[in-house]
Amino acid sequence: MGQFKRFSTVYAEGGRWVDAAAIQEKILRAQGDLLGKDSFEALDAMAVLSRSYWNSSQAAKALRLQSSIWDLSKGKLGPFDPRTLQAMDSLSRTLWLCGSISKADKLAQQAYEGLAQIMGPDHPYTLSAMHSFGRTRLHLVDLKKAQELLLRAWEGRAKLFGSTHLDTLETMQDLGMTCLALKEIEEAEKLVSFVLDCRKRLLGNEHAHTLWSINDLAKVYCAQGYAEDAIVLLIPTREIATRTLGVTHIGTTMTIFNLSRAYLLSNQFQKAEMILTDLIETESRALGPKHPDVFSAKIELAEVLMKMGKVHKSEEQSQEAIEGFSVLFGTESPRTIQAKARQAAICKLGEKSHSSIIS
């Protein structure tokens, strides 16, 4: 059993999560048969396997497994045991990955507050949940709260583990994206560039987490007005992600979305339209047609289509996106309001185009 665990650990650390999961599934069955499915050993094996599912973008499997861990932990240990709260934090991360951001936010907040009270504000479990809560706040466009949480989590992890520990870098990168959303672009570039350099050195150029950092740096370049530089970064990243992670992995779809944005900003509309159309089909199959990433791609496509003069198709895509965001987050949520503002800006593009044709 120990040898199997070592092999799975090596695969997981190298980013070969599908291979790791295949071994971890066998370990879980053995632990369950030997000690019982609700034994601590089995719960630990389930947690390790769920992380491999999460990293390999097998979100549905991760969600089922983490829901089971949480239920078993509550039954065995009670709702306020640190292991139960840690399971709640892990479940919130997978709900976030699945696009259920509002549900993820509630669980992350509960896990963070519970762990802070029981374990203290600087415990690793608490800092993990603080990061999860900060990330959901970021994706719900509560930017100042997100920045506050992520800054504290980053400082706490750096103090405990060091500035280049992988957990510290994970928080640092999300903090960088929060700075970018707040238009603190120079600070975002410093944070993301540091994370990318460290991940290249620690994990290698083709590791999924390195590719994630490249994507975030490309977002910074676009915000700085350097869309062509972002394209140079993202084209080889898309090839690597497709080869190493697969077409439907979130790392690949994220790269394609960011590449489409760079094409849009550099006025390469036909390329943007082509890859966004394919992306929407891919994400709808892999994530489900009501995932927020699908609606984000649709409103992006709406802007591309409007700039190409395809007004009716543009309006169709943007309306589908607004309706989707409204159902997911509520009509008055910052995420929906932000999407409506984008829709209004796209409509203005169409009005200007129409006016220029008439004149």
Side-chain angles (χ1 to χ4, degrees):
M1 187 73 69
Q3 189 173 6
F4 282 117
K5 288 182 180 178
R6 285 191 291 274
F7 271 117
S8 70
T9 299
V10 170
Y11 282 142
E13 289 179 352
R16 294 175 58 181
W17 294 298
V18 174
D19 294 325
I23 298 173
Q24 290 158 0
E25 286 167 354
K26 294 177 182 178
I27 293 171
L28 175 58
R29 283 195 293 270
Q31 294 283 24
D33 291 343
L34 183 64
L35 301 169
K37 293 182 179 179
D38 64 343
S39 67
F40 288 121
E41 290 81 4
L43 287 173
D44 288 341
M46 291 168 73
V48 171
L49 175 57
S50 70
R51 283 195 291 273
S52 291
Y53 285 153
W54 195 98
N55 280 310
S56 59
S57 219
Q58 299 182 70
K61 287 184 177 181
L63 187 61
R64 285 195 296 271
L65 201 54
Q66 287 172 347
S67 297
S68 296
I69 296 169
W70 188 35
D71 288 339
L72 288 168
S73 296
K74 282 189 291 184
K76 191 176 182 70
L77 302 167
F80 304 110
D81 186 88
R83 289 179 64 121
T84 305
L85 293 169
Q86 190 183 25
M88 186 188 293
D89 173 33
S90 296
L91 179 58
S92 77
R93 287 175 173 240
T94 300
L95 285 167
W96 169 78
L97 188 68
C98 292
S100 299
I101 300 171
S102 297
K103 290 181 181 178
D105 184 65
K106 290 177 183 178
L107 281 184
Q109 182 176 6
Q110 290 175 32
Y112 161 58
E113 291 175 351
L115 287 164
Q117 185 175 358
I118 295 168
M119 307 299 293
D122 300 319
H123 192 277
Y125 291 0
T126 306
L127 295 172
S128 172
M130 190 188 299
H131 178 183
S132 299
F133 185 30
R135 181 157 55 188
T136 56
R137 287 286 93 195
L138 167 61
H139 286 263
L140 290 172
V141 202
D142 185 2
L143 301 180
K144 285 297 184 182
K145 182 65 174 179
Q147 188 177 52
E148 174 197 333
L149 289 163
L150 289 167
L151 181 59
R152 285 163 54 199
W154 173 43
E155 289 172 346
R157 283 180 154 179
K159 185 176 179 181
L160 280 178
F161 308 129
S163 62
T164 61
H165 188 277
L166 294 176
D167 288 350
T168 308
L169 295 174
E170 178 193 28
T171 308
M172 192 177 189
Q173 179 158 313
D174 278 337
L175 178 60
M177 287 298 95
T178 306
C179 290
L180 183 63
L182 287 164
K183 310 300 182 185
E184 299 170 4
I185 299 175
E186 288 187 9
E187 185 64 22
E189 183 180 14
K190 289 177 186 176
L191 292 168
V192 175
S193 295
F194 181 83
V195 174
L196 176 57
D197 289 343
C198 290
R199 283 179 167 172
K200 282 181 176 179
R201 179 168 48 82
L202 295 170
L203 300 172
N205 291 336
E206 296 195 355
H207 193 282
H209 294 168
T210 305
L211 303 182
W212 198 325
S213 294
I214 292 172
N215 269 273
D216 283 353
L217 185 59
K219 291 180 185 177
V220 174
Y221 284 172
C222 285
Q224 292 172 325
Y226 304 134
E228 294 288 350
D229 291 338
I231 291 169
V232 170
L233 272 183
L234 290 170
I235 288 176
T237 302
R238 178 179 59 172
E239 184 277 321
I240 295 167
T242 303
R243 171 167 49 81
T244 60
L245 301 174
V247 176
T248 60
H249 191 281
I250 190 171
T252 307
T253 57
M254 173 176 61
T255 304
I256 293 169
F257 178 85
N258 290 328
L259 180 58
S260 75
R261 182 67 180 163
Y263 279 142
L264 167 60
L265 292 173
S266 60
N267 297 325
Q268 299 184 57
F269 302 133
Q270 289 184 330
K271 288 182 178 179
E273 180 191 17
M274 180 180 66
I275 65 174
L276 278 169
T277 302
D278 290 343
L279 178 63
I280 290 167
E281 292 179 3
T282 300
E283 289 184 330
S284 295
R285 289 195 307 271
L287 304 173
K290 297 180 180 179
H291 193 283
D293 286 0
V294 175
F295 298 128
S296 294
K298 284 189 175 185
I299 204 157
E300 194 79 6
L301 179 58
E303 182 171 343
V304 172
L305 291 168
M306 187 64 77
K307 289 192 173 182
M308 296 176 75
K310 300 179 180 181
V311 177
H312 178 69
K313 287 185 177 181
S314 172
E315 292 172 345
E316 194 175 71
Q317 292 293 322
S318 66
Q319 190 57 38
E320 287 179 11
I322 296 301
E323 289 172 1
F325 283 128
S326 297
V327 171
L328 286 175
F329 304 112
T331 56
E332 301 304 318
S333 76
R335 186 80 180 262
T336 305
I337 291 169
Q338 191 179 62
K340 286 179 179 177
R342 180 89 183 272
Q343 182 189 42
I346 292 169
C347 289
K348 283 186 179 179
L349 287 174
E351 291 169 5
K352 286 181 182 178
S353 176
H354 182 67
S355 299
S356 65
I357 291 170
I358 292 174
S359 59

